[in-house]
Amino acid sequence: MAENEKQFESNIEAFLISPAGGYEKATDAGYTSSSGMALDIHTLVGFVKATQPIMWQRFEKQCNSDPYRKFYKCFEDAVQMDGLLSVMRHGFKHRGMDFKVCYFKPESTLNDVAVKRYEQNVCQCIRQWHYSEQNNNSVDMMLAINGIPVVAIELKNQLTGQTVDNAKLQWQYDRDQREPAFWLNHRILAYFAVDLYEAWMITELKGTDTYFLPFNQGSNGAGNDGGAGNPQAEDDNYVTSYIWENVLQKDSLLDIIQKFISFEVKTEKKDGKNVTKKRLIFPRFHQLDVVRKLIADVRENGSGNNYLIQHSAGSGKSNSIAWLTYRLSSLHDNHNNHIFKGVFVVTDRRVLNKQLQDTILGFEHVEGTVTTITEKDANASEKLRYAINSEKTGIVITTLQRFPQIYEQITSHSGNRYA
């Protein structure tokens, strides 16, 4: 029976380390030898040396000894200050030197250097990842980018008498949230619990308070009416094959890190005191699916089409709109030209308008200018008119009621395309 569980893991690994999956097969030796770092410092420095040789030479010259340990200290200080997500996206600075720990796929193919650097990312798939120096516990599978652990997966198989519920219990009771690898926004960005039929996900371990969200497609597949769960598998695939084929595949995961995951900080009143709450937001499968389908259709068919997306209450439509907005604002066609001059986010409700503004402005990966227009703006109509008439419209968030007031004051925009 144990062999069945190993076979399930082996088949997943086989896809991930194939050309389609994009990962390299690796062991956790680099992590266990990088004492106390919760990463593989040799892989990380190797990536920096290969992609930023001049910066690394400058850094080495400033170090009297042990440049690897000192680079880790600089990296760790940046993560403690800004969070791993920010460091992954933007890199960090040290004494006038800029370092990148990851390169993302450029929007266009015009920049050969950017394309080459993206291809130099070292993406590893590791089975039985020993994450602690305090015990010999291991996670079934871990995905790392340039030596940095970013996704951890517990895999269960009904043929061994275990289900996704056993995986959830492992994350809740057997994985200590005090481990540096499991601190919020410090290393692992998403924890998955997966079996032959279902997938669940969370971005923060809280012991018994850990609450997993379903990461299933729906009983009739993504975007189709149906119930909970997943559709039956086709051919020889597993029901949950979409997790490693469409979500955790190398290019997909890097895209999610760059353009989807967000870190939210909110201050709320509780018992008369300000309480700060922090959370990482990882897209649910239906959100990832709808944004990517819309982007793919626009890229193929261009502008001028209308779409209706049904998104139930409480299922994260504000985030879906925000992710879609940013993707559309930077979208290029096959000839590397911008498809849209600007993107308008329009609602007929003030409350929703405020909610969308907060969500969109909360994302760090801003592409272009964002203009927010609220009912409190004394010059709201003038702001809207200026945004429309400007050379680069960027992103405009407003209510529908503002348009009739400025309709005749808008200059001709014949030939321009807007989302």
Side-chain angles (χ1 to χ4, degrees):
M1 294 288 279
E3 189 59 32
N4 290 322
E5 186 166 356
K6 290 181 181 178
Q7 189 61 49
F8 183 43
E9 292 180 21
S10 296
N11 289 342
I12 295 171
E13 180 191 54
F15 172 81
L16 289 172
I17 64 173
S18 71
Y23 291 88
E24 300 176 5
K25 183 175 182 175
T27 69
D28 63 0
Y31 298 84
T32 55
S33 65
S34 301
S35 179
M37 297 184 184
L39 52 73
D40 180 349
I41 190 61
H42 295 280
T43 297
L44 178 57
V45 170
F47 166 78
V48 172
K49 283 182 176 181
T51 58
Q52 304 146 79
I54 295 175
M55 284 295 176
W56 178 256
Q57 289 168 14
R58 284 180 58 189
F59 182 82
E60 264 193 318
K61 287 179 181 178
Q62 290 186 6
C63 298
N64 295 324
S65 62
D66 203 349
Y68 281 57
R69 172 64 66 173
K70 288 178 179 174
F71 186 80
Y72 160 75
K73 179 67 166 58
C74 296
F75 168 84
E76 181 64 16
D77 288 346
V79 170
Q80 294 278 10
M81 177 72 68
D82 301 320
L84 178 62
L85 183 62
S86 177
V87 173
M88 292 285 288
R89 283 182 179 155
H90 310 297
F92 64 91
K93 292 184 178 181
H94 173 72
R95 296 183 179 178
M97 293 175 284
D98 287 322
F99 289 103
K100 297 289 186 184
V101 299
C102 180
Y103 283 105
F104 297 103
K105 196 170 187 177
E107 290 293 338
S108 73
T109 57
L110 294 175
N111 189 332
D112 292 336
V113 174
V115 172
K116 181 182 177 182
R117 283 178 171 171
Y118 174 72
E119 293 170 349
Q120 288 177 289
N121 285 313
V122 181
C123 301
Q124 298 171 320
C125 173
I126 295 165
R127 286 176 65 182
Q128 299 307 314
W129 173 51
H130 294 82
Y131 57 84
S132 176
E133 295 186 339
Q134 310 305 317
N135 54 58
N136 197 40
N137 291 348
S138 64
V139 171
D140 289 334
M141 189 170 288
M142 184 270 282
L143 303 179
I145 297 172
N146 302 322
I148 305 167
V150 291
V151 169
I153 315 165
E154 289 292 357
L155 296 162
K156 300 302 168 191
N157 186 332
Q158 276 81 351
L159 296 176
T160 67
Q162 290 197 316
T163 71
V164 71
D165 291 327
N166 297 98
K168 292 182 195 175
L169 291 172
Q170 262 190 307
W171 284 125
Q172 289 174 311
Y173 294 98
D174 299 340
R175 308 292 178 241
D176 192 342
Q177 68 204 63
R178 293 171 296 182
E179 288 283 351
F182 300 149
W183 297 348
L184 178 65
N185 201 17
H186 183 250
R187 291 294 185 269
I188 299 295
L189 298 173
Y191 306 86
F192 282 85
V194 182
D195 66 16
L196 297 175
Y197 301 103
E198 290 192 23
W200 294 69
M201 183 274 304
I202 194 66
T203 57
E204 181 180 9
L205 297 185
K206 296 181 180 179
T208 56
D209 293 328
T210 302
Y211 179 77
F212 280 84
L213 294 170
F215 207 83
N216 301 312
Q217 303 177 79
S219 60
N220 289 322
N224 299 316
D225 288 341
N230 286 303
Q232 291 297 310
E234 297 179 3
D235 303 323
D236 295 328
N237 285 338
Y238 296 108
V239 168
T240 48
S241 290
Y242 66 95
I243 293 294
W244 46 94
E245 291 178 359
N246 301 331
V247 179
L248 300 181
Q249 187 271 348
K250 182 200 78 171
D251 296 313
S252 172
L253 180 59
L254 283 165
D255 179 67
I256 290 171
I257 292 173
Q258 181 191 16
K259 296 174 178 173
F260 284 92
I261 304 178
S262 64
F263 187 62
E264 181 182 86
V265 180
K266 283 187 175 181
T267 302
E268 300 176 355
K269 284 281 186 182
K270 188 175 183 180
D271 300 327
K273 296 180 181 179
N274 288 331
V275 178
T276 301
K277 292 187 176 181
K278 301 177 180 179
R279 66 170 181 159
L280 269 175
I281 299 173
F282 192 100
R284 303 274 294 280
F285 186 81
H286 65 275
Q287 295 174 308
L288 195 63
D289 180 68
V290 71
V291 172
R292 286 179 168 174
K293 280 179 177 174
L294 285 165
I295 292 300
D297 193 90
V298 172
R299 184 176 278 127
E300 181 179 351
N301 299 310
S303 61
N305 297 300
N306 295 324
Y307 304 87
L308 174 64
I309 298 91
Q310 292 179 287
H311 213 311
S312 61
S315 57
K317 61 179 172 293
S318 292
N319 281 334
S320 296
I321 292 170
W323 288 319
L324 179 61
T325 298
Y326 281 115
R327 298 302 294 269
L328 291 171
S329 70
S330 61
L331 192 61
H332 289 69
D333 60 22
N334 293 330
H335 302 290
N336 291 314
N337 298 314
H338 262 101
I339 292 179
F340 298 111
K341 180 176 183 286
V343 181
F344 289 88
V345 181
V346 185
T347 176
D348 63 351
R349 285 187 290 154
R350 295 179 185 179
V351 173
L352 184 55
N353 186 52
K354 174 70 165 59
Q355 185 180 343
L356 286 169
Q357 288 183 11
D358 292 344
T359 303
I360 290 174
L361 291 173
F363 289 115
E364 292 181 69
H365 47 292
V366 177
E367 297 284 350
T369 306
V370 179
T371 302
T372 60
I373 298 168
T374 69
E375 299 302 313
K376 294 181 180 179
D377 290 330
N379 59 342
S381 297
E382 188 177 328
K383 278 180 69 177
L384 179 57
R385 187 184 72 242
Y386 177 79
I388 296 172
N389 289 336
S390 64
E391 188 65 28
K392 185 176 181 182
T393 302
I395 297 169
V396 180
I397 313 166
T398 184
T399 53
L400 184 64
Q401 292 84 350
R402 286 290 154 196
F403 284 94
Q405 301 175 28
I406 63 164
Y407 180 74
E408 294 183 355
Q409 301 173 38
I410 299 174
T411 55
S412 172
H413 289 268
S414 175
N416 289 326
R417 295 167 299 188
Y418 300 90

